[in-house]
Amino acid sequence: MRKLITLTVAVLGPMFCGSMIYAQEAPAQKTGALDVQTVVQKVQTTSDTAGQSKTELIPVETALPGDEVVYTVTFKNIGEEPADNIRITNPIPEQMRYVAGTAFGPGTEIVYSIDGGSSYAEPAALIVKTDAGVERPAQVDDYTHIRWALNTPLEVGEQSFARFRAVVR
Amino acid sequence: MHRLIAISLAGCALASGPADSAGTVAGTAIANQAEITYEIGVETRVRASNVALFQVAEVIDVDILLQTPERLVSPGAVGQPLNFTITNTGNGSESFVLASIAAVDGDDFDPELPAQVLLIDADASGDISPADSNYIPGVNDPVLAPGESVDVFFLGNIPAGVSDGLIGFAGIQVQSTTGIGAIGDVVAARGDAGVDAVLGPSGGSAQATGEYLVGEIGLELTKLATVTDPHGGARPIPGAQIAYTIQVAAEGTGTAVAAVLQDAIPDNTEYVPGSLRLNGIALTDTPDVDAGEFSPATPEVIVLLGDMSPVDGPQVVEFMVKIN
């Protein structure tokens, strides 16, 4: 059985924008053999009565300019064959600034794009050419996409994740 | 069972985009959706994740800056403006209520408040002009977009009895109508688009004061010319002499220090040697110990009047020129 549900926010209008703040409930996509989920969270540090501080990731519903959030993409092989050449691509929202050095994924090579996802390279190889024709090293402000490439296949039932932090501009 | 949910976020782009200084505009929905590409055998597959979404809350922040340097005033002067610039430094649209402040610690006198104390520089001219509007709290509270500014004038009356050198502070307090408090305080659901509003470093409130300094001094010059022609008449013809009488009077309060009168000899005339007088006493034409001289290079007469204040009364400089 196959169901197709399409929600179009444009039709629902601003009411939807104002009230819906968290879309994590989207069901798993099982058309392929991998399930992939994205969550956005923030770090919360609390102290208990003994003075022990505890750090945890909690869901973000709202954030302020300057606040840092953590994006985590989790993926799991729910099929019956290993998945090979896995690449996760995540656009950095235009209102967010990537926090240098925070992209992480177990057993992955990580590359970045500064041209809207057309090309990717390691940070040292990213060069911005200004309108005046001057070349300069790219800064995190310039990053538009992050891509993680897994070094090994994801076996059946295996799960992993890719993560980065960003600050609200 | 396969289910696919595609969420289009086109409708949420209404308020998006970072503002210049205050950060991303309040109410902006920030969406993120990852894509995963992989191979099963020889087949390449692409899947999109769900959309992770959160909204930008509103930061309430305000700044007020004095634009008028120390304002020199005379006793009894009315409607003396101090100019302030109020800026919405938050990331949402906010209205602000204003209040005048006349009683400030550390000064010598308080300005008196006229019936209409605050004036909004409605035409953004930077000066008081007919287009400006009287500020009435709750009626025309300034509504400012993120990063937007408005100028407001504080109009103070200077008490008649204040003496030279006294200082009076006065200013304006501005408060967000959404809420004020400590940094980080949350005003739930009161931000733009119904998001929470959070108080920024200003706590939603700011004030600034300016300074009135009593002691404005002005020198009033009155110049009279009397023509005497060679024929005993008063026609300005070649050979006629013009006797100038210049009265210099200090007006206002305070002291004009080391006042100097410089008066150029008009074109087509020449200075009559030895004609320079100060308060009826002849001065030499050369630069020396007396207060005056004739400087042929410019040419002009120069008279050192010294410190002048209204109680000393006016001083009178006289000299003559001949029409060529």
Side-chain angles (χ1 to χ4, degrees):
Chain A
M1 190 182 81
R2 185 185 179 93
K3 287 183 186 174
L4 180 64
I5 304 169
T6 303
L7 292 179
T8 305
V9 176
V11 174
L12 295 176
M15 189 185 71
F16 182 91
C17 290
S19 57
M20 176 155 180
I21 46 182
Y22 204 57
Q24 210 177 341
E25 304 83 355
Q29 298 161 30
K30 296 174 181 172
T31 46
L34 290 193
D35 174 37
V36 55
Q37 295 286 330
T38 299
V39 294
V40 56
Q41 297 164 300
K42 63 183 174 186
V43 175
Q44 178 176 272
T45 303
T46 50
S47 305
D48 62 19
T49 49
Q52 291 284 335
S53 70
K54 185 176 79 169
T55 299
E56 58 186 336
L57 288 172
I58 61 168
V60 176
E61 296 184 349
T62 60
L64 297 171
D67 284 355
E68 186 174 290
V69 301
V70 181
Y71 286 104
T72 306
V73 181
T74 54
F75 46 97
K76 183 176 184 180
N77 188 342
I78 55 172
E80 290 156 3
E81 297 174 69
D84 206 358
N85 282 334
I86 293 177
R87 287 179 300 172
I88 297 100
T89 305
N90 207 334
I92 301 164
E94 63 172 332
Q95 306 92 347
M96 305 295 295
R97 180 187 299 108
Y98 171 66
V99 178
T102 58
F104 173 73
T108 61
E109 301 290 334
I110 305 174
V111 287
Y112 305 84
S113 175
I114 56 172
D115 57 9
S118 296
S119 63
Y120 288 84
E122 292 178 359
L126 294 171
I127 302 296
V128 174
K129 195 165 187 176
T130 66
D131 292 340
V134 180
E135 292 190 345
R136 63 165 174 84
Q139 297 161 347
V140 288
D141 249 0
D142 304 313
Y143 290 15
T144 62
H145 290 67
I146 306 172
R147 175 171 287 172
W148 294 257
L150 266 68
N151 296 325
T152 55
L154 194 67
E155 301 298 334
V156 174
E158 202 177 353
Q159 176 173 316
S160 191
F161 69 94
R163 173 173 285 173
F164 72 100
R165 297 187 182 208
V167 169
V168 181
R169 292 182 190 262
Chain B
M1 186 180 82
H2 302 299
R3 287 197 288 183
L4 177 65
I5 293 190
I7 297 179
S8 163
L9 292 168
C12 283
L14 296 168
S16 72
D20 282 349
S21 57
T24 304
V25 170
T28 302
I30 298 182
N32 179 261
Q33 186 174 29
E35 183 183 87
I36 189 162
T37 307
Y38 57 99
E39 293 170 8
I40 301 291
V42 295
E43 185 191 350
T44 299
R45 297 183 182 182
V46 180
R47 294 289 171 260
S49 78
N50 61 302
V51 176
L53 193 66
F54 67 94
Q55 268 190 309
V56 176
E58 179 171 344
V59 180
I60 294 177
D61 239 338
V62 63
D63 187 42
I64 181 167
L65 194 64
L66 174 72
Q67 301 289 0
T68 310
E70 178 186 78
R71 182 167 197 92
L72 293 168
V73 292
S74 302
V78 298
Q80 297 296 298
L82 296 173
N83 184 3
F84 296 86
T85 299
I86 295 166
T87 303
N88 176 3
T89 51
N91 69 339
S93 179
E94 274 298 304
S95 68
F96 296 97
V97 64
L98 314 178
S100 60
I101 307 168
V104 182
D105 288 346
D107 62 357
D108 303 312
F109 70 93
D110 293 335
E112 294 162 353
L113 301 181
Q116 187 60 50
V117 185
L118 300 182
L119 189 68
I120 296 174
D121 187 18
D123 60 353
S125 64
D127 289 311
I128 293 175
S129 59
D132 296 340
S133 46
N134 290 332
Y135 171 67
I136 303 165
V139 174
N140 58 343
D141 294 335
V143 178
L144 300 176
E148 193 183 1
S149 295
V150 66
D151 277 13
V152 178
F153 302 103
F154 175 98
L155 303 176
N157 293 348
I158 308 305
V162 293
S163 53
D164 180 22
L166 294 190
I167 288 170
F169 296 141
I172 296 176
Q173 183 184 59
V174 53
Q175 294 187 334
S176 162
T177 58
T178 301
I180 59 169
I183 180 173
D185 284 359
V186 175
V187 187
R190 289 288 308 279
D192 291 357
V195 295
D196 289 348
V198 181
L199 299 181
S202 70
S205 174
Q207 67 178 60
T209 54
E211 179 179 326
Y212 293 113
L213 173 61
V214 180
E216 186 173 29
I217 187 82
L219 294 178
E220 187 99 1
L221 269 69
T222 312
K223 188 171 183 178
L224 292 174
T226 306
V227 181
T228 308
D229 68 41
H231 312 293
R235 291 175 298 163
I237 56 175
Q241 286 193 337
I242 307 172
Y244 289 109
T245 303
I246 302 166
Q247 177 174 293
V248 183
E251 304 275 347
T253 312
T255 301
V257 177
V260 178
L261 174 73
Q262 288 177 270
D263 198 24
I265 306 302
D267 290 345
N268 303 315
T269 69
E270 61 185 51
Y271 173 72
V272 177
S275 64
L276 186 60
R277 290 171 173 265
L278 172 61
N279 301 326
I281 298 167
L283 303 173
T284 62
D285 293 341
T286 50
D288 50 25
V289 292
D290 72 25
E293 65 174 283
F294 166 68
S295 172
T298 312
E300 63 182 353
V301 294
I302 302 170
V303 180
L304 309 180
L305 300 172
D307 294 351
M308 290 188 68
S309 67
V311 292
D312 300 330
Q315 301 199 62
V316 179
V317 173
E318 296 165 277
F319 66 94
M320 289 196 289
V321 299
K322 188 170 84 175
I323 299 173
N324 293 328

